[in-house]
Amino acid sequence: MVHLAKRMIRLASFGMRALFVIGIAMSLCLNGLVAQETWRRSYGGLGSDNAMSIEECESGGYILAGTTGSFGHGSSDIYLIRLNEQGDLIWSRYFGGLGADVGVGCHESNGGFVLAGTMNDAAAGDYSMTLIKTDATGALMWQVNYGGSDWDICKGVLMLPDGYLLHGISYDGQSPQGGGVAIRTDFE
């Protein structure tokens, strides 16, 4: 009987702590101490436009990477959008060819921006990871594609002190079901 009473006290003690935590959480919500929406903006046009990555810029505002079906040359192009602190559009650029191109990541880098994604060669039917460098206004400085004659799909990019690290999935003769891939580059 004493053992059962001790067990019930422990359960009651745990229950009171849980109720206390729930009470604090409810109090915070009721007092407005949860994240409140401060602004919301939409970017793009009449086609399908997707935001895949956003980063706060040291120079102020934000840089956003994604995909646009509204602007560009193909079924979709890589989309780069520069925003001010209030989310208002400063400028937008698109990069791509006649195929389906997708932007997945962006970073402010060396006075401009670096953008990673996947480019489709519509004529050959293959996909390559791509790394794009722009100046501060989004004008293309250089672009490099990585991959073979099969499909190399970029899923993201990490900025390193001395370069970039792209990662994704590669479908080739050695990995017909897809294999993880990482590609490290220098800055230029």
Side-chain angles (χ1 to χ4, degrees):
M1 189 73 151
V2 171
H3 179 67
L4 182 59
K6 285 182 180 177
R7 206 169 174 190
M8 289 178 75
I9 290 170
R10 277 193 299 238
L11 287 173
S13 174
F14 174 76
M16 293 305 287
R17 281 187 294 216
L19 287 174
F20 178 72
V21 170
I22 292 170
I24 290 174
M26 288 176 62
S27 174
L28 290 174
C29 289
L30 293 173
N31 291 322
L33 297 177
V34 295
Q36 299 293 312
E37 185 176 299
T38 56
W39 55 261
R40 178 190 296 220
R41 306 284 187 275
S42 295
Y43 310 98
L46 298 176
S48 177
D49 303 295
N50 300 298
M52 302 297 284
S53 171
I54 191 165
E55 181 178 281
E56 186 172 18
C57 298
E58 288 183 25
S59 58
Y62 306 94
I63 192 72
L64 186 146
T67 303
T68 179
S70 297
F71 313 109
H73 306 293
S75 61
S76 66
D77 280 352
I78 294 173
Y79 202 21
L80 185 65
I81 301 173
R82 182 76 162 98
L83 308 172
N84 67 16
E85 290 82 2
Q86 292 76 39
D88 298 320
L89 182 70
I90 297 173
W91 50 255
S92 66
R93 307 285 184 264
Y94 55 87
F95 307 92
L98 297 177
D101 308 312
V102 178
V104 296
C106 58
H107 297 285
E108 188 173 26
S109 175
N110 298 326
F113 302 100
V114 66
L115 178 61
T118 303
M119 299 289 279
N120 173 232
D121 181 346
D126 65 346
Y127 292 86
S128 298
M129 292 186 184
T130 192
L131 192 62
I132 298 169
K133 174 71 169 136
T134 74
D135 67 12
T137 67
L140 180 66
M141 295 176 67
W142 52 259
Q143 177 178 345
V144 181
N145 292 336
Y146 303 95
S149 59
D150 293 311
W151 289 19
D152 297 288
I153 310 297
C154 187
K155 296 292 186 178
V157 60
L158 177 66
M159 195 164 91
L160 305 171
D162 60 347
Y164 308 101
L165 184 62
L166 297 136
H167 62 89
I169 188 166
S170 182
Y171 300 92
D172 58 23
Q174 296 175 338
S175 304
Q177 299 301 313
V181 63
I183 300 171
R184 191 178 196 293
T185 74
D186 59 14
F187 272 131
E188 303 303 326

